[in-house]
Amino acid sequence: MERHRSNYTPKAILFHHLVPLFFFFFSLLECFVAEEPVGYGYRVESVNSDPSGKTVTASLGLINSSLVYGPDIPNLKLYASYETKERLRIRIIDSDNQRWEIPQDILPHQTPQTSHHSISENDFIFTLHNTTPFGFTVTRRSSSEVVFDTTPNPSDPSSIFVFKDQYIQLSSSLPETRSSLYGLGEHTKPSFKLQPNQTLTLWTADIGSANPDVNLYGSHPFYMDVRSPSGDNGKVTAGATHGVLLLNSNGMDVNYGGDRVTYKVIGGVVDLYFFSGPTPELVMEQYTGLIGRPAPMPYWSFGFHQCRYGYKDVADLEGVVAGYANARIPLEVMWTDIDYMDAYKDFTLDPINFPLDKMQNFTNTLHQNGQKYVLILDPGISINESYATYIRGKAADIYIKRDGIPYQGNVWPGDVYYPDFVHPQSEQFWANEIKLFQDQLPFDGLWLDMNEVSNFITSPPTLNSTLDDPPYKINDSGVQRPIISKTVPASALHFGILNFGIFGVPMVGADICGFSLNTTEELCRRWIQLGAFYPFSRDHSEKFTIRQELYVWDSVAASARKVLGLRYRLLPLFYTSMYQAHKKGTPIARPLFFSFPEDTNTYDISSQFLIGRGVMVSPVLQQGANSVDAYFPTGNWFDLFNYSRSVSVHSGEYVTLDAPPDHINVHIREGNILALQGEALTTQAARKTAFELLVVISSSGESSGEVFLDDGEEVEMGGEGGKWSVVKFYCGAANGSVFLRSMLENGGFALSQKWIIDKITLIGLENVDGLEGFAVNITEGTNLKGKSVVKANFHSDKRFVMVEISSVSILIGKEFELELRLKHDTGEDTL
């Protein structure tokens, strides 16, 4: 990306049975007459359904032609199919000519070969309306709720379905007061929830995320719709959620008016997918089941990272690493921006400032300290006949071409060619170049940048072609203009954190302390308090700004030690959440409504978030503030920095919390069990510490939690036959006793590592008369007699009791059962 960028985020275009019968309603609808209409719509000419009732095909014919944005395509085919019991696909294509669609080898979106569901399990009903113009609706069987309705509105020309070569218009009405939409990115917006009267442009561009309301690095034509309850005696319950994906990689404007969402796309086909949920987590599981699950990240990636554009030389890097060590602040990964390169060429080292021998010594020292090294990599290859990478790319003929010759762009090294991402030989080219470079310098990861693709120049449109300058101008970079501004021309062949979780990219975080302009001590301190709980936690800054490593200010260093200390204790939670993301697509950092969809107040909250399902982060976001108004959904919540402090609410409400300069509020909700480990300066050291179980007693049922364990670098997390274990914990209370037990999946690996649980802390115990006489009995898994110590304390509000059982030495790889109860004179051995 360009160096004015801010808040680096991953960049990619992400695009891996329902109906008992199809209903066809026949009625008459007068054709719309409008001044200079974009289109008149289509009529249904024929309909066929397969014997299973799971697929319908309709032929659509043009009602009348319009030349606005080009001629209409006269004949269309509509296919509606129920691919799984949670997924409906509606596809509309040109009957006579093949058009661009995302290739199967890029995004395998195959229909399952076998379908074992019955029609009665399907919750979507597809209805094709034989009106003039035609429309269709998608409705929930369980509640009769309409989730998508393309029925034309006579007073709104944008509601008519239009299909031209370079302009497709598709619109659906929405229940304005009950529909909460999220997604349709990437953009920087004032709120996580989409607000009415917005045009959301999807067209990948190298624009820093500090720029609001314009298209940014990625294109994600997916939204999640969380519905508020209906007024018909609760037929539609709060939190009923579905997802909608328009699988199309062309540029588009999506107009959201609150009561309507309208797509205006400059090419391709209509390929809609509907995901029935009905919870946010299930929608994510279904959506990522189509586009592909998130790739697993190694354990070390959840440590703290440090980067800067502008590190001068190897000595500068070594000084930063030493600065963190001297300040006793965790540092897991050191990063280097394009400064390390020779004239900004990929796979090279500056022979003066970053010579190979010194870089090898630097990386080897990092590795000896249990730390890692990551380098940036850009896709533009310098045009230089003495540059081996360029020569090999030229020989493989893998560069993007325009008018039959490689397209010449311009980025950091000057004039460049771009390897074509979809060329059959590109993968081998990149793999070979990376291997050759890593054989010289043992780096641990690559930072893939500028792959929108970024270009510092704007080429003129190709003559006699509308690919670069389509008749409909999307709102590219806030301006309706051709789509070739500072990117590769189309004629060449070829809120961040919460939003990206919804897009299926869970490993995300903003540049801590800020990338652009000078930070301040207060801003940096508050930002590390927040950023310590990002899934991806990295400090990064611009070349000509003041230094902002966390040790620069004493107050920032103190806060960093405190919050990163908690982060490293929570590493098992982050890594387990990564495992859940990889297996089910659920985000690591989640909006509150993911865990509390029945609480409609959570739909508008974007200033707090959850890690996993039960740890809530409530940061200070206002300059000079020493308190924060945090929303607490129903239940008992406990401060993770001090278990004796708690917040209890009977129904969701805002609570004003103290937030002095050195503190951020992080709470865990009742009903959760966390596996914690000790504080350390590296993840390698943290993994060698004993586990502590933090059990948060539920006031109304069972508490539960799980931890995923492997070597931290398995390519396939939890893969068949792999070396991994999942340990699940359950806790319930009855008759004055608390019962805690574990269950293992593939437990042999954890047992082989001899990891132990050395402490169990139970918080949230209620209705306890006194603190004397607790007894612990473990009926399976280990023998505690004579070793463990039990301590009990009232919380500050005298309502709850905390019980600590230390020195238990329970093997985490072996199932156990524990009972905690008041001691009675039974003659049994107790602690």
Side-chain angles (χ1 to χ4, degrees):
M1 67 178 84
E2 297 184 36
R3 297 300 113 169
H4 64 254
R5 68 195 171 193
S6 172
N7 297 347
Y8 168 79
T9 47
K11 307 162 188 156
I13 300 177
L14 298 178
F15 293 103
H16 170 53
H17 336 287
L18 280 150
V19 0
L21 18 117
F22 290 92
F23 295 94
F24 306 100
F25 294 95
F26 298 89
S27 62
L28 295 177
L29 183 66
E30 294 183 359
C31 292
F32 300 151
V33 178
E35 184 178 356
E36 296 182 354
V38 176
Y40 293 90
Y42 292 78
R43 62 169 61 90
V44 178
E45 295 190 335
S46 65
V47 178
N48 292 291
S49 178
D50 78 333
S52 72
K54 295 178 182 176
T55 302
V56 69
T57 304
S59 295
L60 306 176
L62 185 65
I63 294 172
N64 199 357
S65 61
S66 165
L67 294 180
V68 179
Y69 303 141
D72 299 272
I73 293 176
N75 302 305
L76 303 176
K77 284 283 188 184
L78 181 150
Y79 301 91
S81 55
Y82 296 89
E83 297 191 332
T84 72
K85 64 181 181 179
E86 302 94 3
R87 191 168 85 211
L88 165 65
R89 183 183 187 185
I90 299 173
R91 190 164 166 261
I92 305 176
I93 63 172
D94 186 339
S95 296
D96 304 317
N97 299 288
Q98 187 174 2
R99 295 172 58 80
W100 166 257
E101 299 185 54
I102 298 170
Q104 284 271 352
D105 58 347
I106 293 179
L107 181 67
H109 44 285
Q110 299 170 353
T111 302
Q113 296 294 317
T114 335
S115 216
H116 298 292
H117 64 280
S118 66
I119 288 179
S120 61
E121 294 178 89
N122 304 322
D123 196 35
F124 281 150
I125 297 174
F126 170 81
T127 306
L128 183 66
H129 299 277
N130 189 21
T131 54
T132 306
F134 95 103
F136 64 84
T137 54
V138 178
T139 308
R140 282 196 187 275
R141 168 195 300 278
S142 57
S143 63
S144 301
E145 174 87 343
V146 176
V147 301
F148 203 82
D149 185 356
T150 69
T151 303
N153 179 350
S155 64
D156 185 358
S158 69
S159 69
I160 297 176
F161 176 60
V162 178
F163 201 125
K164 301 171 184 282
D165 184 42
Q166 287 185 273
Y167 182 77
I168 299 173
Q169 178 176 285
L170 177 71
S171 185
S172 170
S173 59
L174 297 166
E176 183 172 12
T177 60
R178 298 196 301 106
S179 185
S180 295
L181 263 59
Y182 309 87
L184 296 173
E186 176 186 1
H187 309 90
T188 297
K189 293 291 184 183
S191 66
F192 173 44
K193 178 181 170 181
L194 298 183
Q195 300 301 314
N197 304 315
Q198 293 186 18
T199 296
L200 303 142
T201 300
L202 277 63
W203 182 249
T204 57
D206 186 7
I207 300 174
S209 55
N211 298 280
D213 301 320
V214 294
N215 47 302
L216 303 179
Y217 310 118
S219 178
H220 305 271
F222 169 77
Y223 71 78
M224 180 181 289
D225 186 344
V226 184
R227 296 286 171 94
S228 299
S230 59
D232 51 359
N233 298 319
K235 198 168 185 182
V236 178
T237 58
T241 305
H242 65 272
V244 180
L245 167 68
L246 175 60
L247 188 62
N248 187 307
S249 61
N250 290 267
M252 67 181 77
D253 286 337
V254 185
N255 295 334
Y256 174 58
D259 62 345
R260 181 168 292 277
V261 59
T262 302
Y263 300 89
K264 297 181 178 182
V265 193
I266 58 173
V269 302
V270 174
D271 197 1
L272 283 167
Y273 288 85
F274 298 88
F275 308 94
S276 63
T279 66
E281 286 191 13
L282 286 173
V283 168
M284 288 309 307
E285 183 172 353
Q286 295 153 14
Y287 172 54
T288 58
L290 175 74
I291 67 166
R293 304 285 193 221
M297 296 289 107
Y299 201 96
W300 59 260
S301 68
F302 291 96
F304 180 73
H305 305 241
Q306 177 62 50
C307 186
R308 177 177 172 83
Y309 171 41
Y311 284 135
K312 297 177 303 213
D313 51 28
V314 177
D316 201 357
L317 300 179
E318 291 171 336
V320 172
V321 175
Y324 274 92
N326 293 335
R328 304 298 293 169
I329 300 171
L331 176 63
E332 186 72 19
V333 190
M334 193 67 200
W335 291 52
T336 309
D337 209 310
I338 59 176
D339 314 282
Y340 77 88
M341 298 177 180
D342 180 13
Y344 302 133
K345 299 191 299 291
D346 283 344
F347 309 113
T348 66
L349 293 172
D350 178 341
I352 305 300
N353 297 311
F354 296 88
L356 178 60
D357 58 339
K358 290 186 178 180
M359 289 291 279
Q360 288 172 332
N361 290 336
F362 173 66
T363 53
N364 289 337
T365 300
L366 285 177
H367 293 158
Q368 291 167 10
N369 294 336
Q371 296 167 309
K372 306 294 183 181
Y373 187 50
V374 170
L375 294 164
I376 196 170
L377 182 67
D378 290 341
I381 302 300
S382 176
I383 302 171
N384 185 327
E385 293 294 343
S386 65
Y387 174 33
T389 295
Y390 165 76
I391 295 168
R392 286 187 288 267
K394 184 178 178 182
D397 195 26
I398 50 100
Y399 297 125
I400 291 175
K401 293 182 179 179
R402 188 187 199 198
D403 299 328
I405 61 173
Y407 170 76
Q408 181 175 308
N410 185 280
V411 282
W412 294 110
D415 293 338
V416 297
Y417 290 157
Y418 299 95
D420 186 342
F421 293 137
V422 298
H423 191 286
Q425 302 304 316
S426 277
E427 185 175 341
Q428 180 58 40
F429 166 79
W430 286 114
N432 182 63
E433 297 304 312
I434 292 168
K435 182 181 184 304
L436 290 173
F437 193 43
Q438 194 175 36
D439 286 345
Q440 298 180 67
L441 185 67
F443 55 86
D444 301 285
L446 288 171
W447 167 16
L448 306 181
D449 198 19
M450 301 185 74
N451 53 8
E452 293 79 22
V453 171
S454 180
N455 192 358
F456 291 173
I457 63 172
T458 297
S459 299
T462 295
L463 296 176
N464 305 316
S465 171
T466 58
L467 281 176
D468 299 328
D469 189 8
Y472 174 76
K473 307 296 189 288
I474 62 173
N475 197 37
D476 181 21
S477 307
V479 179
Q480 291 183 314
R481 64 185 183 188
I483 57 172
I484 57 176
S485 177
K486 293 189 176 181
T487 189
V488 173
S491 55
L493 303 176
H494 69 228
F495 212 74
I497 293 169
L498 297 181
N499 267 321
F500 269 89
I502 285 180
F503 297 147
V505 185
M507 192 62 169
V508 61
D511 291 333
I512 293 170
C513 298
F515 179 80
S516 300
L517 306 179
N518 288 331
T519 191
T520 66
E521 180 176 358
E522 181 190 8
L523 177 61
C524 198
R525 184 178 65 246
R526 287 303 192 186
W527 208 323
I528 184 55
Q529 291 169 7
L530 166 60
F533 303 101
Y534 292 158
F536 173 58
S537 183
R538 183 186 71 161
D539 182 322
H540 182 42
S541 57
E542 165 67 87
K543 187 172 187 175
F544 299 107
T545 59
I546 62 172
R547 298 294 284 259
Q548 61 181 44
E549 289 82 6
L550 300 182
Y551 53 78
V552 170
W553 292 281
D554 288 344
S555 72
V556 177
S559 275
R561 285 188 289 268
K562 176 180 177 178
V563 293
L564 290 175
L566 179 56
R567 179 188 180 87
Y568 276 58
R569 296 199 72 211
L570 291 170
L571 284 172
L573 170 63
F574 279 102
Y575 196 60
T576 300
S577 297
M578 180 71 253
Y579 165 72
Q580 294 164 346
H582 178 56
K583 288 300 182 182
K584 295 188 175 182
T586 49
I588 298 173
R590 308 176 187 182
L592 269 60
F593 69 74
F594 261 62
S595 288
F596 307 97
E598 72 287 348
D599 184 347
T600 58
N601 292 324
T602 63
Y603 300 175
D604 291 302
I605 294 175
S606 55
S607 58
Q608 299 167 255
F609 63 93
L610 300 170
I611 306 167
R613 66 185 178 94
V615 173
M616 186 170 70
V617 181
S618 306
V620 170
L621 302 176
Q622 301 298 322
Q623 183 177 1
N626 287 306
S627 64
V628 61
D629 292 330
Y631 186 80
F632 283 84
T634 302
N636 300 321
W637 297 81
F638 300 88
D639 187 335
L640 276 176
F641 288 105
N642 184 343
Y643 301 156
S644 69
R645 294 197 295 248
S646 62
V647 174
S648 297
V649 294
H650 296 293
S651 61
E653 62 184 77
Y654 281 91
V655 177
T656 299
L657 303 172
D658 288 336
D662 66 343
H663 185 66
I664 183 174
N665 284 278
V666 183
H667 290 80
I668 183 169
R669 188 180 184 270
E670 62 173 278
N672 287 276
I673 301 176
L674 295 182
L676 307 171
Q677 284 186 280
E679 297 184 21
L681 297 181
T682 64
T683 63
Q684 184 183 92
R687 296 200 79 190
K688 294 177 181 178
T689 64
F691 284 91
E692 173 191 346
L693 284 189
L694 177 62
V695 181
V696 191
I697 302 298
S698 173
S699 59
S700 58
E702 193 173 71
S703 301
S704 63
E706 68 178 39
V707 62
F708 174 81
L709 304 166
D710 67 1
D711 67 2
E713 297 194 0
E714 282 283 314
V715 175
E716 175 58 40
M717 294 182 81
E720 187 174 349
K723 296 179 180 179
W724 55 271
S725 299
V726 173
V727 188
K728 298 184 177 182
F729 304 100
Y730 303 93
C731 180
N735 301 320
S737 293
V738 175
F739 302 91
L740 175 66
R741 61 189 175 92
S742 70
M743 294 182 64
L744 279 108
E745 180 181 357
N746 210 40
F749 172 76
L751 194 59
S752 72
Q753 301 302 301
K754 299 181 180 178
W755 286 317
I756 65 165
I757 301 168
D758 194 51
K759 183 179 181 181
I760 299 171
T761 303
L762 300 99
I763 59 178
L765 286 164
E766 295 186 85
N767 302 318
V768 177
D769 293 331
L771 299 181
E772 300 297 326
F774 280 99
V776 174
N777 181 36
I778 292 191
T779 58
E780 181 182 338
T782 190
N783 179 14
L784 298 182
K785 186 175 180 181
K787 299 178 182 178
S788 300
V789 177
V790 180
K791 292 188 346 184
N793 295 284
F794 271 117
H795 291 196
S796 56
D797 61 2
K798 303 298 183 183
R799 175 182 172 186
F800 299 110
V801 167
M802 175 174 64
V803 176
E804 296 179 340
I805 310 167
S806 57
S807 303
V808 293
S809 295
I810 300 172
L811 284 166
I812 199 169
K814 189 174 182 180
E815 292 184 350
F816 71 89
E817 293 185 8
L818 175 150
E819 180 185 1
L820 172 71
R821 61 185 184 277
L822 290 173
K823 189 194 320 184
H824 298 285
D825 188 13
T826 61
E828 65 181 7
D829 291 324
T830 59
L831 298 177

